[in-house]
Amino acid sequence: MEATVAITEAQQKKVKPDPETLKFGKTFTDHMFTMDYTSDLGWIQPEIKPYAPVEIDPAAMVFHYSQSVFEGLKAYKNPNGEAVLFRPEENFKRLNRSNKRLSIPPINEELALDYLKQLIELEKDWIPSAEGTSLYIRPFVIATEPSLQVAPAHNYKFFIILSPVGSYYPEGIHPVSIMVEDHFTRAARGGTGTAKTGGNYSAGYNAQAKAASEGHAQVLWLDGVEKKYVEEVGSMNVFFKINGEIVTPQLNDSILQGVTRKSVIELLKHWNIPVSERKIPMQEIFDAYESGELEEAFGSGTAAVISPIGELTWKDSTMIVNGRKTGEVTKSLYQTLTQIQTGKQEDPFGWTVKI
Amino acid sequence: MEATVAITEAQQKKVKPDPETLKFGKTFTDHMFTMDYTSDLGWIQPEIKPYAPVEIDPAAMVFHYSQSVFEGLKAYKNPNGEAVLFRPEENFKRLNRSNKRLSIPPINEELALDYLKQLIELEKDWIPSAEGTSLYIRPFVIATEPSLQVAPAHNYKFFIILSPVGSYYPEGIHPVSIMVEDHFTRAARGGTGTAKTGGNYSAGYNAQAKAASEGHAQVLWLDGVEKKYVEEVGSMNVFFKINGEIVTPQLNDSILQGVTRKSVIELLKHWNIPVSERKIPMQEIFDAYESGELEEAFGSGTAAVISPIGELTWKDSTMIVNGRKTGEVTKSLYQTLTQIQTGKQEDPFGWTVKI
Ligand SMILES: Cc1ncc(COP(=O)(O)O)c(C=O)c1O
Ligand SMILES: Cc1ncc(COP(=O)(O)O)c(C=O)c1O
């Protein structure tokens, strides 16, 4: 059964950009999905209409108290030219977990997926097919009620916008340099770290600028309480291979539950590679490096899928990981995940959803 | 010298609301101030124009990564009918400190104050004059660049909007009940707690709802690291009178530097009442209560000015403060501050700015 959506087609279609020169998140497709919430009527008026600016009151609560959540996933083109989504139901589940933390009313996950499918159907020519390219999908919710009261809004707007994105690795996958951040905090126990809400992201800009000024690509975040345990890398979850075993921080209330993280763990288990989720002191990574047991390190997330780490700077020490080369497990994960996502390899897990 | 602002007057003026029935932050005046920022040109196009919705791209970075800051201050009418601001330069200083933490370009503080004065001049009939009423002023900055990159924007919009507000205490000042929150965190060391940025506020909604469901007016926030030290109360700074001395948490990077807090401290010193800023363990408050030395407690902030605390619930204990009556020092602070703010009492500190 298809959910009912009012569709207004754009009169003029935009010229599609060259996938070679695409920057992340700067180009948007012809249409967007929107739906409104009022506390009396619930979620109403699902519409697909031309992508365009929206009119918002300057007192809209999202501007003042950042009551907003978002998601990020991708659509790929498979070799038959069909549109394929990767585990989209996980993203809508997480959207509702984020909604709960931010006191935003839940969205019907099945309907939302159906709305997304209808939007992708209409925009399928926007999915690029060159190696490494995809159509990035950004569902998000903002509080629209005009009010300066510090309290949850009575009105919200849910959007889905789409952006064709180029390859994350136009020159091939390559390891990056990471700085361990021990002053700034991304998220603390009891905070909003498990929610995909804007405040967690702009809170990291100072640290990101500091890392960049010292020549690093990203920040590694430690826990906000003791500044001792590894949490995430930039906007990615993080994994290490230590003496044959893959380890990743166990989930807590300051780590985002990545869909790629979950898929990596499932894939490793399928391959019978030992993997464990536990608290990881930064000191342990350093000790493993010193004893020669730190074999690989990588981040996982929708944007880059897998991002190998070549170098980690912590206080005054720099650890070179695997001679700054992409490790074997890292490479296999990248290849298998991207091949499954793009339908080039069989999907034994039922992760992909054809439209 | 007056800063140059393009002024477009509203054709139709709204009917001014009855100050008796005004809710906080729901009614806005006829005009607003706006100014844009581009990374090439800096802050440009200062304008005063009719208050109205603005057109914003759905990809505007404020919606996704909450890169935004705000301020809050008030204009009062003095007995001669003149508009008076309370320490506005402090708010623009703090705005720039918030901007820095959020990687937003600074605003010229003197020009900003001048723009505000011109806006108030135009809207002076909107300043209510009944006891306890005022015109609430909300300057704020949002990232407007359409981009999904997790990085500071290249474009921003600065607004000043105005909202007439009724008395915080229509039935007279009365002490409220507070719940000490020991699960949720408002702000942690290394986070954004000293900045007035939206993410700190929506992060508190879950805790606020929990407190309200248990019959409390507000939450008392403990530090995010040890959950041991007192930080703030709702959106106010907090003070206690213990055995004749007034104490308040010392500033750190998770406490907002309130303008009212600063004024309270200056006033107490002027009165030769002992006041100290230091780390305050919640246990110390409890011990003082048990030994009969907890004499008064109150919050301080622009909205309520001074808000007496009648009751504090921490874990399974409830502490009744001063028999749930407003204490003497609390009352004197409230009266003196509000009298100075409204020009009913001489201002020996040079805090007020006449327009
Ligand atoms: C903070 C953070 N951590 C981790 C991730 C990885 O999550 P996912 O694999 O679902 O993209 C993201 C999102 O991309 C994120 O924003
Ligand atoms: C978190 C927080 N603490 C304290 C205050 C009090 O600051 P001020 O006295 O400047 O209004 C505010 C603002 O009102 C606030 O938002």
Side-chain angles (χ1 to χ4, degrees), chain B residues 13-201:
Chain B
K13 302 283 159 70
K14 301 177 195 167
V15 177
K16 302 201 175 42
D18 175 1
E20 296 282 310
T21 59
L22 271 180
K23 285 193 184 150
F24 180 80
K26 300 276 187 190
T27 308
F28 300 92
T29 67
D30 293 310
H31 301 89
M32 63 182 180
F33 172 83
T34 69
M35 179 163 74
D36 292 312
Y37 179 91
T38 74
S39 44
D40 290 345
L41 303 173
W43 288 105
I44 53 168
Q45 259 183 275
E47 297 185 70
I48 289 173
K49 57 190 176 190
Y51 183 96
V54 285
E55 282 219 329
I56 303 209
D57 196 288
M61 291 168 109
V62 63
F63 294 145
H64 302 271
Y65 309 124
S66 300
Q67 199 191 5
S68 65
V69 297
F70 68 95
E71 268 305 326
L73 66 162
K74 284 178 173 175
Y76 302 87
K77 208 156 242 177
N78 74 13
N80 301 331
E82 296 159 308
V84 181
L85 297 173
F86 186 70
R87 311 190 82 171
E89 56 309 317
E90 294 288 338
N91 294 88
F92 288 112
K93 261 193 232 166
R94 187 170 63 189
L95 186 70
N96 271 340
R97 290 199 302 268
S98 300
N99 279 336
K100 187 161 181 224
R101 181 63 185 85
L102 272 293
S103 302
I104 296 174
I107 286 174
N108 182 309
E109 293 163 24
E110 277 158 52
L111 284 180
L113 179 51
D114 200 73
Y115 297 142
L116 170 60
K117 287 180 179 171
Q118 293 188 52
L119 179 63
I120 300 278
E121 180 62 36
L122 189 66
E123 300 287 66
K124 58 177 180 290
D125 293 346
W126 278 94
I127 309 176
S129 54
E131 177 79 29
T133 64
S134 60
L135 185 66
Y136 183 79
I137 301 165
R138 170 58 55 93
F140 65 104
V141 184
I142 59 172
T144 51
E145 186 189 357
S147 167
L148 301 182
Q149 293 189 354
V150 182
H154 298 95
N155 298 84
Y156 299 87
K157 204 173 187 81
F158 173 68
F159 294 80
I160 305 176
I161 59 177
L162 307 174
S163 175
V165 295
S167 174
Y168 208 86
Y169 299 108
E171 283 111 43
I173 185 168
H174 62 90
V176 294
S177 163
I178 300 288
M179 192 193 77
V180 180
E181 173 57 50
D182 51 19
H183 170 66
F184 290 112
T185 301
R186 188 193 88 91
R189 186 179 57 201
T192 55
T194 41
K196 230 172 141 69
T197 184
N200 298 337
Y201 296 80

Side-chain angles (χ1 to χ4, degrees), chain A residues 33-317:
Chain A
F33 172 84
T34 69
M35 180 163 73
D36 292 312
Y37 179 90
T38 74
S39 44
D40 290 345
L41 302 173
W43 289 105
I44 52 167
Q45 258 182 276
E47 297 186 68
I48 289 173
K49 56 188 176 189
Y51 182 98
V54 285
E55 284 219 330
I56 303 209
D57 196 288
M61 292 168 108
V62 63
F63 295 145
H64 301 272
Y65 309 125
S66 300
Q67 199 192 5
S68 65
V69 297
F70 69 96
E71 268 303 326
L73 68 160
K74 284 178 172 175
Y76 302 88
K77 209 156 240 178
N78 75 11
N80 301 331
E82 297 159 308
V84 181
L85 298 172
F86 186 70
R87 311 189 82 172
E89 58 306 321
E90 293 288 338
N91 294 86
F92 289 113
K93 262 192 232 167
R94 187 169 64 190
L95 185 70
N96 271 340
R97 288 199 304 268
S98 300
N99 279 337
K100 188 162 181 224
R101 181 64 185 84
L102 272 295
S103 302
I104 297 174
I107 287 175
N108 181 309
E109 294 163 23
E110 277 158 52
L111 285 181
L113 179 51
D114 199 71
Y115 298 142
L116 170 59
K117 286 180 180 172
Q118 293 188 52
L119 179 63
I120 300 280
E121 181 62 35
L122 188 66
E123 299 290 63
K124 59 178 180 287
D125 293 347
W126 277 94
I127 309 175
S129 53
E131 178 79 28
T133 63
S134 59
L135 185 66
Y136 182 80
I137 301 164
R138 170 58 57 93
F140 65 105
V141 185
I142 59 173
T144 51
E145 187 189 357
S147 168
L148 302 181
Q149 292 188 355
V150 182
H154 297 95
N155 297 84
Y156 300 88
K157 206 175 186 78
F158 173 68
F159 293 81
I160 306 176
I161 59 176
L162 307 174
S163 174
V165 296
S167 174
Y168 207 85
Y169 299 109
E171 284 111 43
I173 184 168
H174 62 88
V176 295
S177 164
I178 300 289
M179 193 191 80
V180 180
E181 173 58 50
D182 51 22
H183 171 66
F184 290 113
T185 300
R186 188 193 87 91
R189 188 180 54 201
T192 55
T194 41
K196 231 171 140 70
T197 183
N200 297 338
Y201 295 81
S202 49
Y205 291 169
N206 278 179
Q208 176 60 28
K210 188 171 77 173
S213 77
E214 293 173 22
H216 304 285
Q218 293 278 0
V219 157
L220 183 147
W221 298 107
L222 298 176
D223 74 282
V225 173
E226 299 180 63
K227 290 278 175 218
K228 201 166 140 185
Y229 298 99
V230 173
E231 296 225 312
E232 305 202 38
V233 165
S235 297
M236 293 184 287
N237 295 108
V238 65
F239 290 82
F240 302 93
K241 181 162 170 256
I242 298 177
N243 197 17
E245 187 194 39
I246 309 285
V247 296
T248 191
Q250 71 186 39
L251 297 176
N252 62 24
D253 79 346
S254 51
I255 292 179
L256 193 86
Q257 303 188 19
V259 178
T260 319
R261 175 187 181 281
K262 185 173 181 173
S263 309
V264 163
I265 294 170
E266 288 171 25
L267 207 45
L268 290 169
K269 287 187 174 160
H270 182 72
W271 288 341
N272 288 315
I273 294 178
V275 51
S276 97
E277 301 174 62
R278 58 178 172 78
K279 279 181 107 170
I280 307 173
M282 192 57 216
Q283 187 64 47
E284 178 188 335
I285 302 297
F286 186 73
D287 294 344
Y289 166 72
E290 291 245 287
S291 66
E293 292 183 320
L294 179 61
E295 296 157 351
E296 304 188 29
F298 60 91
S300 75
T302 295
V305 187
I306 297 293
S307 178
I309 296 171
E311 204 180 300
L312 266 168
T313 295
W314 183 39
K315 295 173 178 161
D316 296 328
S317 313

